[in-house]
Amino acid sequence: MIDALAAGLRANSCTVTGPMNADDARTAIVERVSGLVACTDDIPVPGVVDALLARGLEVLTPDDPRWTARLVDAAVGITGARLAVVQPPAIALAAAPGAPRATSLVPPEHVCVLRVVDVIATFADAMAEIADGELPSALTWIGGPSRTADLEMITTFGVHGPRAVEVVLVS
Amino acid sequence: MTGHGITTPGRDFHERTATAVADPVLQKALQNLDRRLRTAGESAAAHPEWKERAAAIRRETLLDLDGWLDRLERSLAARGVEVHRASTPGDARRVILDLARARGARTVVKSKSMATEEIDLGGALEQAGLTSVETDLGEYIVQLAGERPSHMITPAIHKTLPQIRDVLAREAHTDLPVDREALTAWARERLRGEFLRADIGITGVNFAAADTGTLVLVTNEGNGRFCTTLPRMHVVVMPVEKVIPRLADVGVLLPLLTTHATGQALSNYVTMISGPRRAGELDGPDEMHVVFLDNRRRTLLGTTYEEMLACIRCGACLNVCPVYRNVSGHAYDAVYSGPMGKVLTPLLSGGAEGADLPYGSTLCHACSDACPVKIPLSDMILALRADTPERSSPVRRRRRLFWTVWARAWSTPRGYRLTTTLGRMSRGRVPGLRAWTSTRELPRPARVSFRDRWAKEHR
């Protein structure tokens, strides 16, 4: 199921890393990013913010009063995910005080850290489960990088949202 | 519904289709539609049993639309979303303008929505002195060109890349290359500024779940996400038929919508909104309003055309229609084009607009076959011909004269004998039929008529 998800997300033009353990995931994330990094507090790998700071990177977190003003300058947004679906391949992010909606929207690159236990087989199954539970103010499903086919029906990436989406799978 | 945006010139649908077919640039742009048809057609064909389920879900709310709307309103209110009911486009515009004025709003960002086109909201906002910016790339191009969308999923399908470059370069006051990446990057920068300063985000909605009060919004670019994330107020224009019974139904309806619209298993972004931002959240609107738009829709309940309200606006019927594929959306001179537009335009205007549209159809049934929720579009087009009288035109007057003479002549044995004898003598060369026979074969009359043969053999 995880292989199918990874293949599906790649077909949607995402980069997929893992599955790997939390330590390897933290290293992979920290090595990949640069510039101002915005992090939500729902990343399912402990110590990402500290590791980024230790590498000398500038980190923006939702408890920072300058979050809203500075997010537009962030190079990367790192988030967790509520769940993911294999068919059709997509990840779902829930808005929360520590997980602003714009983290996966405004920066040109989005890194999404996903626990493999949160992967569900089909969209219909996921919707049945979601509809039964507590709903966030916004649940955002993401298939891959922002795209448009408005120019002569040929796909162009990064029109409003991120140009690149990287999914890190954590076992 | 008419009165804004340019259209293909011509007095009626018949003339406008001729103009569109003769336009070489438009015809070149329309070749791009084939790309969509291939991808959308292939993936949609895989799920026949899903169509059955989706069709049933869409008809469930039509049995008691008012009841489902009341349920939705209660669920939305429980989440802190205010509902406004608008019976006419004017009512809807008034509600939204009042909200904008009361908040001192100056700039509005819009995510592509057919419902807002239907009520000409962009025009009304501009008239009221607000800046209204379309943020879907195709819709933005169409807005800058002073036109209206020609396809409900890809609004600028009628434009070639060099034409799009010209439109954007005029706005940029600088030269831009004929290059997809560069044009997209320019639009991204420009529209990012609009998102950041907008006071209100206005969107349509794809599905509104009555049980949870959740609004489901589908986009690929992310503009819908921006409109519902950054501005302080979010206003949703919701045609009444968008209500669905349960949020879980989205599991069936949404993949069907996206496969038929673009061939994607799921659109790139799906946003499920359950109320404004909550305590402690850093983004999302502080207040949300949903405008239930009726605009004669409830008058369709219980009529031949009730099932038209099951439509999920996927555009599949446009993509397969032999008429649409040759003339594109502007020839219809209406907000909704293609087969569904031929049905919806006369119905939503009470017959005042688009009365000639149902006549511009080959009745080939491709639209009915393509529809993911099994709306009998072809049958409705035929029914509308009976229900809406055609406007007068020279072609129609000649046609009516022909049928009148024919009916009179064949009402008497003498008239029948005379005309069939004349027909045999002409050997199929009937004057005045050249336009008709240019694409059709006129059957050749038999050398000896059946009546003559009968008379001879039974003498």
Side-chain angles (χ1 to χ4, degrees), chain B residues 139-383:
Chain B
E139 193 85 22
Y140 182 57
I141 293 162
V142 165
Q143 185 189 29
L144 290 180
E147 298 174 5
R148 71 156 46 126
S150 65
H151 187 289
M152 63 178 132
I153 307 293
T154 49
I157 182 75
H158 60 290
K159 287 205 177 307
T160 59
L161 196 63
Q163 287 180 317
I164 290 168
R165 188 275 310 265
D166 293 347
V167 170
L168 295 181
R170 207 180 315 136
E171 179 68 13
H173 297 295
T174 171
D175 200 23
L176 294 170
V178 184
D179 174 81
R180 265 179 211 90
E181 301 287 335
L183 294 175
T184 304
W186 180 83
R188 176 188 171 98
E189 281 311 304
R190 167 60 65 98
L191 290 169
R192 182 62 68 95
E194 303 290 355
F195 287 129
L196 290 171
R197 70 190 175 105
D199 304 300
I200 305 178
I202 299 182
T203 70
V205 60
N206 294 97
F207 304 107
D211 62 342
T212 63
T214 302
L215 303 166
V216 180
L217 212 72
V218 171
T219 66
N220 274 314
E221 301 177 359
N223 58 316
R225 292 184 62 196
F226 269 105
C227 290
T228 59
T229 297
L230 297 186
R232 286 201 45 241
M233 178 156 78
H234 176 202
V235 177
V236 180
V237 182
M238 188 198 97
V240 288
E241 78 274 18
K242 297 286 181 181
V243 62
I244 60 167
R246 297 155 297 265
L247 181 59
D249 294 332
V250 170
V252 176
L253 294 171
L254 194 59
L256 211 62
L257 167 64
T258 57
T259 48
H260 283 76
T262 61
Q264 291 168 291
L266 201 65
S267 66
N268 196 50
Y269 295 121
V270 181
T271 312
M272 300 186 176
I273 299 167
S274 306
R277 85 162 73 172
R278 295 181 190 163
E281 290 185 357
L282 297 178
D283 51 23
D286 293 322
E287 55 176 319
M288 281 182 64
H289 298 265
V290 178
V291 181
F292 288 2
L293 173 69
D294 183 37
N295 195 17
R296 292 183 208 255
R297 284 171 170 80
R298 275 154 61 240
T299 64
L300 304 183
L301 295 168
T303 72
T304 323
Y305 309 107
E306 177 180 287
E307 287 178 287
M308 194 58 221
L309 298 177
C311 177
I312 55 173
R313 307 285 190 269
C314 66
C317 61
L318 280 65
N319 298 345
V320 299
C321 177
V323 177
Y324 180 89
R325 291 166 62 81
N326 280 288
V327 304
S328 136
H330 288 161
Y332 295 75
D333 192 27
V335 170
Y336 300 103
S337 61
M340 58 80 70
K342 282 177 187 167
V343 176
L344 211 50
T345 305
L347 292 176
L348 292 187
S349 64
E353 286 162 25
D356 57 349
L357 294 181
Y359 291 86
S361 168
T362 64
L363 300 176
C364 69
H365 225 273
C367 48
S368 308
D369 292 342
C371 181
V373 291
K374 308 187 81 167
I375 300 171
L377 286 160
S378 213
D379 298 347
M380 287 186 185
I381 289 169
L382 194 56

Side-chain angles (χ1 to χ4, degrees), chain B residues 50-76:
Chain B
W50 282 56
K51 277 190 174 187
E52 296 288 343
R53 289 178 63 190
I57 293 168
R58 291 300 288 140
R59 281 155 186 79
E60 192 178 339
T61 42
L62 298 183
L63 290 175
D64 177 24
L65 188 57
D66 284 336
W68 286 107
L69 288 171
D70 288 344
R71 244 162 283 179
L72 174 63
E73 179 168 2
R74 280 196 298 274
S75 299
L76 286 168

Side-chain angles (χ1 to χ4, degrees), chain A residues 17-113:
Chain A
T17 316
M20 53 178 83
N21 65 38
D23 288 337
D24 291 344
R26 185 171 47 246
T27 310
I29 295 163
V30 171
E31 277 176 0
R32 196 162 288 265
V33 298
S34 58
L36 176 61
V37 184
C39 293
T40 58
D41 70 2
D42 64 350
I43 302 168
V45 169
V48 170
V49 171
D50 289 340
L52 289 167
L53 291 170
R55 237 196 91 205
L57 289 168
E58 211 183 342
V59 180
L60 185 64
T61 52
D63 55 6
D64 188 327
R66 297 167 302 167
W67 169 273
T68 306
R70 296 213 62 200
L71 187 65
V72 288
D73 299 323
V76 190
I78 306 181
T79 72
R82 164 94 165 254
L83 56 88
V85 157
V86 178
Q87 191 51 42
I91 48 179
L93 275 57
R101 309 174 188 195
T103 322
S104 60
L105 180 64
V106 170
E109 191 182 342
H110 173 209
V111 176
C112 180
V113 187

Side-chain angles (χ1 to χ4, degrees), chain B residues 400-412 415-416 419:
Chain B
R400 191 162 311 139
L401 179 70
F402 174 83
W403 291 120
T404 309
V405 169
W406 177 76
R408 288 266 174 81
W410 284 23
S411 300
T412 65
Y416 180 83
T419 50

Side-chain angles (χ1 to χ4, degrees), chain B residues 12-64:
Chain B
D12 57 15
F13 188 46
H14 191 80
E15 275 190 22
R16 289 192 301 268
T17 55
T19 316
V21 169
D23 181 341
V25 183
L26 177 66
Q27 290 303 316
K28 186 167 186 296
L30 285 177
Q31 287 172 9
N32 297 319
L33 201 60
D34 289 337
R35 258 195 284 275
R36 163 122 321 163
L37 186 70
R38 267 200 304 277
T39 50
E42 279 165 15
S43 49
H47 303 295
E49 73 281 10
W50 282 56
K51 277 190 174 187
E52 296 288 343
R53 289 178 63 190
I57 293 168
R58 291 300 288 140
R59 281 155 186 79
E60 192 178 339
T61 42
L62 298 183
L63 290 175
D64 177 24

